[in-house]
Amino acid sequence: NSAGYFAGEGMDYIDLFIGQEGTLSIIAEAQLSLSTMPYKIFSSFVFFKNTLDAWSFAAEARCSSALSIEYFDVNALKLLKSKSSNVPPEAIGAIFFEQELTERGEESIVDGWLKTISKHNASLDDTWVAMTPEKCEEFNQFRYSIPESINDIVRHTGMPRLSTDIAVPEERLLEMMNFYVDTLTACGIEHVIFGHIGECHLHVNLLPKNEIEHKRSGDICLAFIKKGVSLGGTVSAEHGIGKTRREYLEEMYGRQGIIEMARIKKALDPNWILGLDNIFPKEILSMTDSA
């Protein structure tokens, strides 16, 4: 959750300042610790002919010790196919995952994943596997090509994309995914769904071609926000609120919740110096005295 100021029992200043987006302070110094490099990373692209198989594979993978689990819908795969002719032509969904290996358990871990892949109706012959640092980096560059391709489409059409950053509880993810698919299929606007399905956190990108589609895309994104919130989710799982998602934050907390956040800012930044208009509009600050 990176949606506004955190508040909860037992919280401390770190909890508050992590999500403040420059509105409460300037962080001048931070002390970091580094994790030990793993012995080896095993990563894989698994391709599916059925969307539900991809989702069920991701659900089982979520119970493992995977480092990351990423999803690519059929439109994301179309973008990937332009980068590689090796993407199976019949695939309509894919999961990318990474798993840390240990020297003793390497073989059994890999065998376990291969059994899980087969269990969810994916072909091992069409599954890509990387077990060297060089191949893992190649896979990472391949997955990162999706946002680059989306940016190319935006430059070509001249219309800005609209995207979401919603995460929902694990037990509500399937409902949210079906809502995405049903809504986007009905609207007919070009779109791409990809992202962190292991954290129940997908990025939906709408790519309108004209002003009419752009307005409809805004309405669709708001419908996604309301659905996500109704399922107990967050409007921003990783990218924060900034100045563009303020409307979404109010859907999550209500006007009174936003005013309470503004009170915190006013207490720590009484002269309204830092990060104005981030998280909530500066006009909200003037409401804190009377609210």
Side-chain angles (χ1 to χ4, degrees):
N1 188 335
S2 59
Y5 302 158
F6 175 82
E9 185 144 358
M11 67 176 290
D12 58 21
Y13 281 116
I14 293 176
D15 295 317
L16 176 63
F17 280 70
I18 281 175
Q20 51 99 10
E21 298 187 39
T23 60
L24 301 178
S25 69
I26 297 171
I27 298 173
E29 183 177 342
Q31 184 175 352
L32 308 176
S33 61
L34 299 178
S35 300
T36 303
M37 285 287 289
Y39 160 72
K40 188 183 286 186
I41 296 292
F42 161 60
S43 61
S44 178
F45 271 97
V46 186
F47 297 96
F48 298 87
K49 297 178 183 179
N50 183 292
T51 302
L52 291 178
D53 286 336
W55 296 352
S56 65
F57 175 84
E60 183 164 345
R62 204 176 295 124
C63 300
S64 72
S65 56
L67 301 175
S68 65
I69 310 168
E70 309 285 314
Y71 173 69
F72 304 90
D73 78 343
V74 63
N75 294 322
L77 288 185
K78 288 177 183 177
L79 298 179
L80 290 178
K81 286 175 182 176
S82 68
K83 308 290 183 180
S84 172
S85 60
N86 293 325
V87 175
E90 297 180 354
I92 63 169
I95 299 291
F96 169 85
F97 68 86
E98 295 173 301
Q99 169 74 56
E100 182 177 345
L101 298 177
T102 60
E103 190 169 3
R104 290 184 179 179
E106 178 177 339
E107 186 175 341
S108 63
I109 291 172
V110 173
D111 285 346
W113 277 109
L114 295 179
K115 290 176 183 177
T116 303
I117 290 168
S118 296
K119 175 182 173 182
H120 293 276
N121 304 314
S123 168
L124 293 179
D125 291 337
D126 289 333
T127 296
W128 301 354
V129 172
M131 305 223 15
T132 65
E134 294 78 17
K135 198 65 176 178
C136 287
E137 178 59 24
E138 182 183 321
F139 279 15
N140 275 319
Q141 292 303 317
F142 191 59
R143 67 195 266 229
Y144 293 143
S145 71
I146 292 288
E148 295 171 3
S149 297
I150 290 174
N151 289 337
D152 288 341
I153 293 172
V154 169
R155 283 190 287 269
H156 177 73
T157 63
M159 295 297 299
R161 69 183 173 96
L162 287 87
S163 63
T164 65
D165 190 30
I166 301 165
V168 297
E170 183 176 347
E171 65 274 12
R172 309 309 293 271
L173 178 61
L174 187 59
E175 184 177 348
M176 191 74 215
M177 294 293 286
N178 280 315
F179 187 74
Y180 286 147
V181 171
D182 292 345
T183 304
L184 293 169
T185 300
C187 79
I189 296 173
E190 187 175 355
H191 61 273
V192 178
I193 303 176
F194 70 96
H196 322 299
I197 197 169
E199 297 173 328
C200 305
H201 169 211
L202 279 297
H203 297 300
V204 178
N205 291 262
L206 287 101
L207 303 167
K209 296 182 176 66
N210 52 54
E211 291 292 345
I212 294 175
E213 285 194 352
H214 187 269
K215 183 181 184 308
R216 286 175 58 209
S217 296
D219 294 338
I220 290 168
C221 284
L222 185 57
F224 290 157
I225 292 296
K226 290 181 177 180
K227 180 66 173 181
V229 169
S230 75
L231 297 178
T234 174
V235 302
S236 180
E238 64 173 335
H239 290 301
I241 299 301
K243 296 176 174 61
T244 61
R245 291 191 168 99
R246 297 183 316 206
E247 177 188 7
Y248 297 164
L249 191 67
E250 190 164 334
E251 290 289 337
M252 187 170 175
Y253 292 113
R255 175 51 64 98
Q256 190 57 40
I258 301 300
I259 291 174
E260 289 173 6
M261 290 183 197
R263 282 192 180 127
I264 294 172
K265 174 173 175 58
K266 204 166 184 181
L268 295 176
D269 180 19
N271 295 318
W272 307 0
I273 294 172
L274 301 171
L276 277 185
D277 284 325
N278 279 354
I279 301 182
F280 43 76
K282 61 186 177 183
E283 291 78 15
I284 291 285
L285 289 165
S286 62
M287 301 180 185
T288 57
D289 294 329
S290 58

